[in-house]
Amino acid sequence: MADAHKALADSLRESFPEAQVDYRERLGETVLEVHQDALFATMKTLRDTFRFEQLTDLCGVDYAAWGQDEWITEQASGAGFSRGVRGNTFARLGLTGIYGLDPVTSNTGRRFAVVYHLLSVSRNLRLRVRIYCTDDDFPMVDSVVGIWAGANWFEREAFDLYGIVFDGHPDLRRILTDYGFVGHPFRKDFPLIGNVEVRYNEEKGRVVYQPVTIEPRVLVPRVIRDDNRYADPDAAEESASNG
């Protein structure tokens, strides 16, 4: 299988000389990164020539603050696991100063990306394709519904959660959030507690929207200290006998 993936990577380099091909032998996977303008033509070639008959998944990615620590500490790990830190908007981004996070900057051309997972049933091969959106303010890529019909709901989900527009989609509208929802909840600068909350108003006899009343809860990383339960049993027995 490793030889098949290596051969696939070599063929992709020959067919798409301007694209970036990353073959990871240790993981046994191949990643193809193409420019936004070449997306549709590349995908059609992958289906017709390379026989990737099936699109198994499509998702959006927000690379804002990629690789930056979420908090500063010398005692615990600097790698965070949530956006629950105190800041101006109670979201991960928008934090400056002591938190050490850079604010979101526009037009980097590397913030939003769309990742496609392709499967060749006839060749028993998988391929990951990644496309960065060149405009951070209005991320947009071509729709691939005309190539794989199953991309329809995947693209609607990426549009709903990340605000990525898929040009040529037959019915691009939200699929997970409520009617009238404002914003895109999977963006890293979206407030962790949201913007509004919903409740039933008995006087009006209907559901109403109102400002969020949830009190933000800040998650603080705990310092892992020595625990005698995981100590050397011989050393622990000797310490007990001496004590």
Side-chain angles (χ1 to χ4, degrees):
M1 184 59 68
D3 294 338
H5 275 279
K6 188 175 185 305
L8 171 63
D10 294 338
S11 299
L12 291 173
R13 293 188 182 98
E14 295 177 2
S15 300
F16 309 105
E18 297 182 357
Q20 178 181 341
V21 180
D22 183 13
Y23 168 61
R24 304 168 184 173
E25 184 175 1
R26 182 177 63 86
L27 300 176
E29 63 182 15
T30 305
V31 181
L32 174 67
E33 184 177 313
V34 300
H35 192 270
Q36 172 181 320
D37 297 335
L39 169 62
F40 192 85
T42 300
M43 291 302 201
K44 199 170 186 304
T45 302
L46 290 175
R47 185 196 64 179
D48 298 340
T49 304
F50 287 86
R51 292 184 291 170
F52 283 97
E53 306 93 349
Q54 183 175 343
L55 171 70
T56 61
D57 189 25
L58 180 159
C59 62
V61 183
D62 184 357
Y63 284 101
W66 174 258
Q68 299 184 48
D69 290 340
E70 200 154 353
W71 41 67
I72 298 175
T73 175
E74 296 179 355
Q75 295 177 301
S77 171
F81 60 88
S82 74
R83 294 177 294 166
V85 290
R86 189 179 300 279
N88 297 330
T89 60
F90 297 104
R92 182 179 178 192
L93 298 180
L95 308 181
T96 57
I98 75 168
Y99 293 100
L101 290 178
D102 297 332
V104 176
T105 57
S106 298
N107 298 323
T108 63
R110 305 288 288 184
R111 176 179 176 182
F112 294 105
V114 183
V115 178
Y116 305 79
H117 295 268
L118 307 182
L119 170 64
S120 174
V121 179
S122 57
R123 302 176 62 187
N124 191 24
L125 288 173
R126 295 183 182 272
L127 175 66
R128 180 182 296 122
V129 182
R130 178 171 57 189
I131 288 87
Y132 283 98
C133 303
T134 56
D135 189 350
D136 293 351
D137 293 330
F138 188 71
M140 181 173 64
V141 298
D142 289 332
S143 172
V144 296
V145 172
I147 303 176
W148 297 284
N152 192 319
W153 282 18
F154 289 146
E155 291 182 349
R156 286 180 58 186
E157 181 182 39
F159 165 71
D160 191 358
L161 300 180
Y162 290 94
I164 300 174
V165 176
F166 293 87
D167 188 24
H169 190 284
D171 185 23
L172 191 63
R173 54 193 170 94
R174 293 183 181 270
I175 192 173
L176 293 176
T177 55
D178 195 9
Y179 298 105
F181 189 90
V182 177
H184 304 282
F186 274 21
R187 289 190 175 190
K188 290 184 179 176
D189 53 357
F190 188 84
L192 186 65
I193 60 175
N195 294 310
V196 295
E197 63 183 23
V198 181
R199 69 175 179 85
Y200 181 79
N201 189 304
E202 295 184 358
E203 296 180 357
K204 297 182 178 180
R206 61 179 176 85
V207 172
V208 296
Y209 291 87
Q210 65 184 32
V212 177
T213 58
I214 302 173
E215 188 69 26
R217 190 176 70 131
V218 178
L219 302 179
V220 180
R222 303 296 182 183
V223 177
I224 301 176
R225 297 181 172 85
D226 293 335
D227 193 324
N228 58 9
R229 293 176 297 174
Y230 306 102
D232 183 7
D234 296 334
E237 183 179 351
E238 180 180 354
S239 175
S241 61
N242 293 336

